[in-house]
Amino acid sequence: MLSSLKRIFSDDAQWAATRTTAAFSARALLSVGIALFLAFSFQLQSPMSSVTTVMIVANPTVGALVSKSVWRIIGTIIGATISVGLMAVFVQSPVLYFMGLSVVVGLACMAATFLRLFRAYAAVLTGYTIVIISAPAFDNPDGIFLSAMSRLAAVVVGIVTTAAVFMVTSPRRSDTLFTQIHALFRDTVSYILAFHQGYSNVPAQNPDALPGSTFRALPTTFHDSRATMLTRIARLSDAVEYAAADNYDISVRQREIRAGLARLSGIVASYHPHTITPADTGQDRAVHGEIEAMLHTLLDLTQDQTLEAVWTQGCARIQHTRTIMINEARATHSPRSLLFLDDIQDLLGQIDTALQDLSRRGSAGRKLRLQPYLEWPTALRNAARGSLTTLLTTLIWYVLHWTAGPTMMLYVVAAASLLSTLPSASRAAGMMAAGTALGIPAGLLCHIFLLPQIDGYPLLWLSLCIMLLPGVWLQFHPKFGVGGFGYGVFATVMLQVNNPIHYYNDISLFNGWMALFMGCIMLVLSFRVILPPNHRLDAARLVMSLTRSLRRLALSGRRQGKEWLVWENLQLQKVTRLAMRLSFFARPASMHEYIDAALATLSLGRLIERIRTIAGSPDIMGAQQAAIYDALGTFSELTHNPLLTAASLRRAATILCPPDALTLRPAAQVEAMACLEQAARIIEDIPGFLDQRGPLQWAEDYPAAHRPPLAAVRTEVG
């Protein structure tokens, strides 16, 4: 304990994190005090609802808080409207009402799974509000409208109070976010430089790979650093979207910045074990040295100056190196060097565009609208979980006539909706239930030792602060954040603080606590036992989704153009989800192979897009163009016989430019050949990943599931 305290005060990073947590906790508890005081002053029917609202809405980022608040009000209004409508339609049919309620909650859970960030709270509050409004009206249906108005008033009080407190006490400076963007760009350049300095000399052949494979064995540190970079970029992209709701400087450049960050993700993802490195010749070492010199120049330029100040110089330096790569590609006689030069000049173009998007307003990224990936199987499963748990809890209350049944319903619906916003609801369900269950003994202690001592509002506020502080503080802990959130939000339900405060009824308290405990059990049963996740099946679906996206891209007959980044970002979201699913069941070595293969499909998609662009060049003759489109047409067999597609790509590459004619053919033909050859290499390295009968597509108890992860299912190419 003492050593931990010493480390907090001696370590600058820990001290900064502690100060941030303490500041957030102070603002949240101040908001709780003011919101509850106003709820008492306005004589609201359920004043603690305003406290629950504060605990849900509170966020360290003011923009996120404002956005959550707006969408929370929208969700509350929708939920109140649906609640009144359901009660009006099924007032004489309780069972039909419960069925209708379960359907609405299921739809809310599905919407919460689909929606991103703060928008998901509109869906969460829709289902949650229906129950909290309906519960007091079960005995008196005529009072449903007044219950809805009271609930809406409590929510508005909590939201307005929290927003006012955080906006007044939180500094909102755009330069902090721009500093993070600047640091992330430099770290991305350093990441690329480290790859060229440290990993390009790794032997080209992975000892565990198939004969002839171009995959290399890279150290675990490489995979860890890549995952860290992708996570940082994703979090910063979310932070930009949050800040845009409250900061004008960010809002006017939001699309460009998010497009630039998406390009950085694509650049980081482009460096995988299949990335071609130069051969060990004097000429190639000189080219490699030029790339490192360019990266060092970017680091020097951005060391003491902002991206806005140096983007012109930086882009000029990148373009200079890219021109060298293109000229070297036209003069080289080595097919391997050609592939490296073609690959690197394309990556340099991505870096150039990313620098423009991040440094100036009005770049090409402003016209892009990135799309979230909608994972239908997960959304439907969460919808089924929400519907099932709602129906079971309502029927339990209806059959047993349990007076605390509405409390159990309230918790189950709210927790199920909140869990649906998380990437892995089943994993978080246990932590959410545990955090809520810990609120029961905390509520008991509060009722025994704290609340009987109060003789005025200040002591009541102090008692609430003591009880809520652990949950508020733990929300910043990555391991216990979900549990802390569950404790902080639902601890307010443990207390019978009404207006006015009456003598506490021990039987009523224990009855309510038992209902919450039963709700925790129902939540875990629904999310982890009755409808448990199948992580292997989810991973297999994501793999097939990546493959089908490649096939559609090749067979679409049209270029993505400026929308290419949208496609790439969508696939990268799938890769991120795939990594999470694999972490539940795959060995680290297999997981790295699958993620490397998934990232290679992104490179394959970029090659397809480039091939379509080059096919329209005047230097591509009729027969050559036909060969290109015939090769792209064989992507229809990608999920059945990937090697057939690879063989067709190689044939088209030979037609365009034989290896002995690299310096004799037009630049467009040589570039098209390089793209076709690289695409064929990637497919030949990961046929088991692309094939719909690959090892990941089989259940764990099938022998086929234990084949090498990327090995071909069939060896014939047709």
Side-chain angles (χ1 to χ4, degrees):
M1 183 68 178
L2 290 176
S3 61
S4 299
L5 290 175
K6 289 181 180 178
R7 191 162 52 251
I8 290 175
F9 289 102
S10 60
D11 190 306
D12 292 340
Q14 287 202 14
W15 173 243
T18 302
R19 284 191 305 167
T20 301
T21 305
F24 169 75
S25 301
R27 295 184 184 103
L29 296 178
L30 177 61
S31 303
V32 165
I34 297 175
L36 185 60
F37 178 80
L38 292 176
F40 278 140
S41 301
F42 297 153
Q43 298 292 310
L44 297 182
Q45 183 179 359
S46 55
M48 287 300 288
S49 294
S50 61
V51 177
T52 305
T53 298
V54 172
M55 299 308 299
I56 293 178
V57 169
N59 192 288
T61 304
V62 177
L65 184 149
V66 173
S67 301
K68 286 172 65 176
S69 300
V70 171
W71 286 98
R72 181 169 164 79
I73 291 177
I74 293 173
T76 303
I77 294 174
I78 295 174
T81 304
I82 295 176
S83 179
V84 174
L86 280 175
M87 186 68 73
V89 173
F90 301 116
V91 66
Q92 299 296 331
S93 306
V95 175
L96 291 178
Y97 174 82
F98 295 149
M99 294 175 64
L101 176 63
S102 64
V103 171
V104 173
V105 171
L107 293 175
C109 290
M110 184 172 66
T113 306
F114 280 150
L115 297 174
R116 292 183 65 251
L117 306 178
F118 40 79
R119 299 178 186 87
Y121 280 86
V124 170
L125 267 297
T126 297
Y128 174 48
T129 302
I130 293 173
V131 176
I132 203 170
I133 288 176
S134 302
F138 285 144
D139 295 332
N140 181 23
D142 293 336
I144 184 68
F145 183 76
L146 292 178
S147 178
M149 292 300 100
S150 176
R151 168 63 182 165
L152 183 60
V155 168
V156 171
V157 167
I159 288 173
V160 173
T161 301
T162 310
V165 170
F166 275 75
M167 290 181 72
V168 170
T169 59
S170 301
R172 299 185 301 283
R173 299 171 55 188
S174 58
D175 56 346
T176 302
L177 194 58
F178 284 129
T179 300
Q180 295 178 19
I181 294 171
H182 179 272
L184 185 62
F185 178 81
R186 284 179 51 82
D187 290 345
T188 304
V189 174
S190 299
Y191 172 86
I192 300 170
L193 181 61
F195 184 91
H196 283 283
Q197 288 178 332
Y199 304 130
S200 60
N201 296 323
V202 175
Q205 178 64 45
N206 183 343
D208 298 325
L210 298 174
S213 173
T214 55
F215 262 65
R216 287 164 292 147
L218 296 179
T220 303
T221 53
F222 167 76
H223 296 92
D224 294 340
S225 62
R226 182 180 63 195
T228 301
M229 286 296 302
L230 292 175
T231 302
R232 284 183 58 194
I233 295 172
R235 288 178 178 173
L236 188 55
S237 181
D238 292 345
V240 169
E241 190 167 351
Y242 279 140
D246 181 60
N247 190 293
Y248 176 77
D249 293 336
I250 300 296
S251 64
V252 296
R253 291 183 51 191
Q254 176 191 1
R255 285 196 183 179
E256 294 99 323
I257 294 173
R258 293 190 63 217
L261 294 175
R263 294 187 198 278
L264 291 185
S265 296
I267 292 168
V268 172
S270 297
Y271 284 89
H272 47 74
H274 189 276
T275 304
I276 300 170
T277 54
D280 190 17
T281 65
Q283 181 184 13
D284 290 319
R285 283 195 297 271
V287 169
H288 192 69
E290 168 62 25
I291 298 170
E292 293 186 17
M294 181 273 297
L295 295 172
H296 279 298
T297 300
L298 289 180
L299 291 175
D300 293 339
L301 286 173
T302 57
Q303 183 172 2
D304 300 317
Q305 300 183 75
T306 63
L307 297 181
E308 292 84 353
V310 301
W311 76 269
T312 305
Q313 297 170 268
C315 290
R317 185 65 177 87
I318 296 171
Q319 287 296 337
H320 174 71
T321 302
R322 191 180 185 192
T323 301
I324 293 176
M325 300 299 109
I326 294 174
N327 292 334
E328 289 288 341
R330 292 173 181 172
T332 186
H333 295 271
S334 167
R336 177 178 173 82
S337 297
L338 173 66
L339 297 183
F340 165 72
L341 292 166
D342 179 78
D343 196 23
I344 198 64
Q345 67 87 15
D346 182 61
L347 286 170
L348 290 174
Q350 298 179 53
I351 299 172
D352 178 50
T353 309
L355 179 56
Q356 294 185 50
D357 287 338
L358 294 175
S359 60
R360 64 192 186 96
R361 183 179 174 185
S363 63
R366 185 169 184 79
K367 300 179 181 179
L368 296 175
R369 184 181 293 274
L370 300 179
Q371 301 173 355
Y373 171 59
L374 304 180
E375 195 173 1
W376 278 96
T378 301
L380 292 174
R381 185 163 58 239
N382 285 337
R385 289 165 171 168
S387 295
L388 179 63
T389 51
T390 302
L391 186 61
L392 287 177
T393 51
T394 52
L395 290 178
I396 289 173
W397 168 66
Y398 182 70
V399 172
L400 300 179
H401 296 278
W402 188 12
T403 56
T407 302
M408 180 173 62
M409 290 167 50
L410 169 65
Y411 171 74
V412 167
V413 171
S417 301
L418 288 167
L419 286 173
S420 297
T421 65
L422 302 176
S424 178
S426 61
R427 187 176 189 178
M431 188 64 69
M432 177 78 80
T436 305
L438 287 176
I440 296 176
L444 177 62
L445 294 175
C446 186
H447 275 281
I448 292 176
F449 296 106
L450 297 180
L451 294 183
Q453 309 300 322
I454 65 174
D455 58 359
Y457 181 76
L459 288 179
L460 173 61
W461 179 22
L462 179 61
S463 301
L464 289 177
C465 290
I466 294 173
M467 182 176 180
L468 295 176
L469 182 60
V472 177
W473 194 278
L474 286 177
Q475 288 185 44
F476 278 81
H477 196 288
K479 186 176 181 181
F480 305 111
V482 176
F485 182 78
Y487 174 92
V489 171
F490 298 107
T492 59
V493 185
M494 312 288 179
L495 306 179
Q496 288 188 355
V497 178
N498 298 311
N499 189 19
I501 299 178
H502 297 287
Y503 178 74
Y504 300 109
N505 188 322
D506 293 340
I507 295 178
S508 176
L509 282 172
F510 277 94
N511 194 23
W513 293 341
M514 179 59 69
L516 288 169
F517 186 73
M518 290 298 297
C520 293
I521 295 175
M522 289 290 297
L523 189 72
V524 174
L525 284 175
S526 176
F527 278 78
R528 306 189 71 167
V529 178
I530 300 176
L531 287 174
N534 187 333
H535 296 297
R536 187 180 183 91
L537 179 60
D538 289 339
R541 285 171 174 160
L542 288 167
V543 168
M544 290 310 300
S545 179
L546 285 166
T547 307
R548 286 193 298 268
S549 295
L550 278 175
R551 187 174 61 184
R552 285 195 298 269
L553 182 65
L555 300 176
S556 63
R558 63 183 181 87
R559 292 181 51 237
Q560 296 288 320
K562 293 181 180 179
E563 298 299 320
W564 160 256
L565 182 63
V566 177
W567 184 92
E568 184 182 58
N569 183 257
L570 198 63
Q571 309 316 308
L572 195 54
Q573 293 178 53
K574 298 177 186 178
V575 177
T576 302
R577 292 174 184 250
L578 175 62
M580 183 190 67
R581 306 297 182 197
L582 291 170
S583 66
F584 290 109
F585 67 90
R587 294 179 293 106
S590 297
M591 179 178 172
H592 291 158
E593 285 189 285
Y594 280 122
I595 297 304
D596 290 336
L599 294 177
T601 62
L602 270 67
S603 297
L604 183 56
R606 181 170 290 278
L607 290 169
I608 293 172
E609 177 69 6
R610 290 180 61 199
I611 290 169
R612 285 205 172 276
T613 303
I614 301 168
S617 171
D619 292 334
I620 304 298
M621 306 303 176
Q624 295 171 333
Q625 191 177 72
I628 289 176
Y629 288 128
D630 287 345
L632 293 176
T634 59
F635 271 84
S636 60
E637 298 295 323
L638 187 64
T639 58
H640 305 288
N641 192 352
L643 295 180
L644 175 63
T645 304
S648 180
L649 291 169
R650 284 194 183 278
R651 284 195 297 269
T654 304
I655 293 173
L656 278 159
C657 180
D660 57 355
L662 294 180
T663 59
L664 303 177
R665 295 296 178 91
Q669 296 182 18
V670 176
E671 186 178 357
M673 184 277 289
C675 291
L676 291 165
E677 178 66 24
Q678 289 187 70
R681 284 191 175 205
I682 291 176
I683 295 175
E684 289 172 347
D685 281 343
I686 58 172
F689 182 88
L690 300 171
D691 201 304
Q692 64 181 3
R693 294 158 299 171
L696 195 60
Q697 308 299 327
W698 298 86
E700 184 67 27
D701 52 350
Y702 278 78
H706 303 285
R707 291 196 300 258
L710 308 180
V713 175
R714 60 169 68 183
T715 57
E716 69 270 17
V717 296

